[in-house]
Amino acid sequence: MYDKSSFKIKNNPVIMGIESSCDETACAILRGRKILSDEIISSAAVQAKYGGVVPEIASRAHTDAIGEVCEAAVKNAGISFSDIDAVAVTYGAGLLGALLVGLSYAKALAYALNVPLIAVNHIRGHISAAYLDDELLKPPFITLLASGGHTAILYTKSFTQFEVLASTSDDAAGEAFDKCARVLGLAYPGGPNVQRLAEKGQANINFPSALVKNSVRTQFSYSGLKTSVINYCHTLEQRGEEVPKADVAASFQQAALNPLADKTVEFARKYGVTTVTAGGGVVANGYLRERLIKECGKAGLKLILPEKRYCTDNAAMIASEGYNQYMARNFADLDLNAVAAIPLK
């Protein structure tokens, strides 16, 4: 019988991570911090036909893929299900129907194996992607979080605690990239397509910076930047002039991302840490990565940038955060439910 108080901690546990918050069905197996396998089945190609993620389609795709992807992860890790010491799963934030697919599978598996169920906050997963790049990494450090749903700079105090130093007051950076992509007639997902187009242009248009000036607390805002891009393009179209799409993309990208890198380094100096990490889908952006490398290098800071595949949604980061929670004995009950939105704390 499942009793979370009875489980004993192992020094090098085998953790299964399950991620199904959006359009990726993923499962990974870690032994401690070492990745044994990392599998993913994506419905992004199907979603692209509709210009974005359709929740019902995503949920059905997860239902079809969850068993297959988890079995493949176990097989490719060279283990059996009986070797698993804990099951970590994203319970939020994300699409409720999609989350419930992964969560239901995880709860059933944890019960069948009589191992701990670990509830993982998707945002904490993005923070823990850094540990995949450097297994010896230890807090404290400053973390730049930039994803489709959140944009923030965090002071990671310990393996289980962080403090929000700065955040966005409206859209997240990832949302802004998707909206900019629509204005420019680019396909979903917007982020990679805006980056590719930006590489062909010049940042010669004066769009407003995403950094909010004169605020008591550091904040970012992408609403004004998004509106500025829309107005710029519509004005040219109404005049019958051609929109320099590559220049728009490059100028938008610079206004959106420079403040994130610059303020991250500024906070690292302020808090006296020597290491900066980054996570979230926007951190896969090549321009942002180059900017972070440049600014951290100038400041003499160690920068941990996860591989691009571990910046976007994946199960390895969920298992990595699951390891943190496992060692802290933060086990979940089997009545754990999915949560669509989790505020940064």
Side-chain angles (χ1 to χ4, degrees):
M1 182 176 180
Y2 183 91
D3 177 7
K4 68 178 185 180
S5 65
S6 67
F7 297 122
K8 296 181 179 180
I9 299 296
K10 296 184 178 180
N11 289 329
N12 204 29
V14 175
I15 309 286
M16 170 183 277
I18 297 175
E19 157 63 22
S20 67
S21 64
C22 192
D23 57 355
E24 316 284 2
T25 314
C27 183
I29 308 292
L30 268 62
R31 187 185 301 277
R33 297 288 190 192
K34 182 179 180 181
I35 300 173
L36 302 184
S37 66
D38 178 26
E39 304 298 322
I40 188 168
I41 297 176
S42 175
S43 65
V46 176
Q47 308 290 351
K49 298 177 182 178
Y50 304 95
V53 178
V54 180
E56 179 63 21
I57 293 175
S59 298
R60 293 183 182 184
H62 287 306
T63 302
D64 291 340
I66 188 67
E68 178 184 348
V69 77
C70 290
E71 289 169 10
V74 170
K75 178 181 178 181
N76 292 333
I79 65 170
S80 64
F81 277 95
S82 61
D83 294 318
I84 295 171
D85 296 311
V87 181
V89 61
T90 305
Y91 78 98
L95 303 173
L96 273 179
L99 289 166
L100 284 169
V101 175
L103 182 56
S104 297
Y105 186 96
K107 290 199 289 187
L109 184 60
Y111 178 79
L113 298 176
N114 194 32
V115 298
L117 173 71
I118 301 173
V120 174
N121 177 337
H122 188 81
I123 299 309
R124 290 184 179 272
H126 279 306
I127 297 173
S128 291
Y131 300 119
L132 300 172
D133 192 77
D134 184 350
E135 295 180 24
L136 300 179
L137 175 65
K138 293 182 179 180
F141 46 79
I142 296 295
T143 300
L144 170 62
L145 170 65
S147 69
H150 291 86
T151 298
I153 299 174
L154 314 171
Y155 175 50
T156 303
K157 299 178 180 180
S158 69
F159 289 115
T160 59
Q161 292 181 310
F162 66 80
E163 176 187 349
V164 181
L165 305 179
S167 61
T168 178
S169 59
D170 41 60
D171 290 353
E175 290 176 292
F177 267 85
D178 284 339
K179 290 172 181 176
C180 179
R182 291 192 193 102
V183 175
L184 296 175
L186 303 177
Y188 174 85
N193 291 320
V194 170
Q195 179 192 329
R196 280 190 284 270
L197 182 59
E199 291 169 356
K200 303 175 183 178
Q202 298 294 323
N204 53 17
I205 304 170
N206 187 26
F207 290 136
S209 169
L211 179 64
V212 177
K213 296 182 180 180
N214 300 322
S215 61
V216 176
R217 179 170 180 247
T218 300
Q219 284 188 313
F220 303 104
S221 172
Y222 288 92
S223 179
L225 174 57
K226 171 198 66 179
T227 301
S228 184
V229 171
I230 293 172
N231 290 342
Y232 179 86
C233 294
H234 285 182
T235 298
L236 291 182
E237 290 169 353
Q238 288 170 354
R239 292 175 180 169
E241 300 177 20
E242 183 179 354
V243 176
K245 293 185 176 181
D247 292 344
V248 170
S251 301
F252 162 80
Q253 184 172 252
Q254 178 175 285
L257 300 181
N258 279 8
L260 297 182
D262 296 348
K263 295 302 289 188
T264 297
V265 170
E266 184 179 316
F267 274 116
R269 287 170 167 164
K270 179 178 179 180
Y271 278 74
V273 301
T274 58
T275 302
V276 166
T277 72
V282 179
V283 178
N285 179 281
Y287 177 85
L288 177 58
R289 295 171 78 89
E290 290 175 3
R291 183 78 180 190
L292 283 167
I293 291 170
K294 177 183 177 181
E295 295 305 316
C296 286
K298 287 165 54 178
L301 297 168
K302 178 181 180 181
L303 174 64
I304 305 296
L305 277 179
E307 293 180 32
K308 291 184 179 181
R309 66 178 296 185
Y310 296 125
C311 293
T312 54
D313 291 352
N314 66 89
M317 71 179 193
I318 301 304
S320 180
E321 174 58 17
Y323 175 80
N324 291 339
Q325 300 300 327
Y326 176 90
M327 299 306 292
R329 291 194 61 86
N330 290 332
F331 304 147
D333 293 314
L334 293 180
D335 61 357
L336 175 67
N337 204 355
V339 179
I342 301 176
L344 287 172
K345 299 178 180 178

